Structure formats: C-alpha cells, structure tokens
Amino acid sequence: MSARSEILGRIRSALSDVPTDEPADQDIPRTYRRTSGLDHEGVLELFVETVADYRATVHRVEPAGRAEAIAEILAKRALRRIAVPADLPTDWLPDGIGRVIDTGTLTSADLDAVDGALTTAAVGIANTGTLILDASAGQGRRLLSLVPDYHLCVIPAERIVGSVPEAVQRLDPTRPITLISGPSATSDIELNRVEGVHGPRTLDVLVVG
C-alpha cells in the first residue's frame, strides 16, 4: 500500500459516520498514534540523541540541580547578560548574570545586544529532536528565542513526548507556535552551511527530571 492510499484510507475511516449534509456537526475521534516500544526513559534517551544530531548540546539534570546546571552551562560559555521572559522563575539565573527582562518592550536591537536568551518550552518531540515554544509561561515572545545568538532552553522531562501527533495533542492551536530543531542553519546553492541566519547560532537544551 502506498503512503497516499494509507492516508486517504484513514480519512475515509474518520469520516465514515459523518452525514453528508451536516459534516460540521459531527465529532471526529482523534486517536493520535503513540511511539511504540518505548517507555518514557526510552523516549528521553531518543530525544537526547536526536537533539544532539542537530548540533545542539543536551544536558540532563534532576530538578534539585537545575539552577546549578544553568549556572555551569552559562559560565562555560562565558555569558554575562541573558534575556528572559518576565515570568521566568527568579531563582533560575545565578548571581552575577545580568537579567534582561522582556516585558514585551525589548526591540530586536535590544535582544541582539545581549549574550543570549533563557526560556523553557511547551513540548519536546523525541522522534524529530524538536522543541516547541508557544509563548506560554516561561517562554516569552517568539522574538526572544530567535534574535539572540545563543539560546538555553530548559524543558521538564514530562513535557517530552515520542512523536509529532502526541505533541500536537498537547498544544493549544490558538497560540503562536515556534518549532526549534537545533541551532539555526541554512545552506546556499553550493551547499555551504551557514549558521545563525534566522535564529540562534548556538543551542543548549537542559532536560530536567
């Protein structure tokens, strides 16, 4: 069976009980596929592997060590001024690191002048090594994660799922969505890789839990 036939078959099955004269009034069951054969630890290990494939650096830490791990990561990269969302927990940034709080007024030039940004994420996808930000708590505006040259994204382990359908199921479709798969990179017609063109040149991901 071709992929086309499989997709059309699923559509026909999902619409089988919908009257032709009132399709908008019928609920369609959304039984999303899940990652088979992996427990949650397996999903986390796959996430670490796929994120690293995109040239991002992945760290894992228990919740009690989160603040210390953030401090170590920033110190290793010699970063001193970090832009953060206004609702990021105050104890995430160590003493000695300048906190530039984005209340929605920072311009692109303001964000370009900081050393990096620190946010969390709404969902992580193991199969694709993708982080999804939706501007909810701890994530800030899309500008915050795209303009600075460095991004440290802290994601709780319970927000990491195996597949794209599982991630979609967790998202609010009315919110702005940013998908991040590794540092920003592109290639020209001669396949010369250029990083940092339309997003951070460097991405650290801290998995907590």
Side-chain angles (χ1 to χ4, degrees), residues 10 14 17 19 24 36 52 64 71 76 92 94 97 105 120 182 198-199 206:
R10 289 187 202 168
D17 62 343
S36 59
K76 184 176 180 180
W92 280 25
I97 299 293
T105 60
T120 184
H198 43 69
L206 179 62

Side-chain angles (χ1 to χ4, degrees), residues 2-138:
S2 68
R4 179 178 182 275
S5 298
E6 183 180 357
I7 292 170
L8 292 176
R10 289 187 202 168
I11 294 172
R12 282 192 294 270
S13 176
L15 298 176
S16 60
D17 62 343
V18 179
T20 57
D21 59 340
E22 52 178 357
D25 296 333
Q26 303 300 315
D27 291 330
I28 300 175
R30 300 187 182 278
T31 51
Y32 291 98
R33 283 187 173 183
R34 296 189 174 275
T35 306
S36 59
L38 292 177
D39 58 13
H40 190 57
E41 181 58 33
V43 169
L44 294 180
E45 291 176 357
L46 178 60
F47 177 78
V48 170
E49 179 182 337
T50 52
V51 171
D53 281 345
Y54 281 111
R55 301 190 185 183
T57 304
V58 190
H59 316 261
R60 292 189 65 178
V61 68
E62 292 301 316
R66 177 176 48 212
E68 182 179 353
I70 292 173
E72 290 178 355
I73 293 169
L74 296 179
K76 184 176 180 180
R77 295 195 180 275
L79 305 178
R80 308 302 300 173
R81 293 181 70 244
I82 300 298
V84 299
D87 56 358
L88 192 80
T90 57
D91 61 350
W92 280 25
L93 273 183
D95 294 337
I97 299 293
R99 177 190 294 256
V100 180
I101 300 175
D102 180 27
T103 60
T105 60
L106 294 180
T107 65
S108 296
D110 294 330
L111 291 171
D112 190 46
V114 301
D115 293 332
L118 169 62
T119 75
T120 184
V123 187
I125 307 174
N127 280 352
T128 61
T130 302
L131 295 161
I132 302 180
L133 280 63
D134 65 0
S136 55

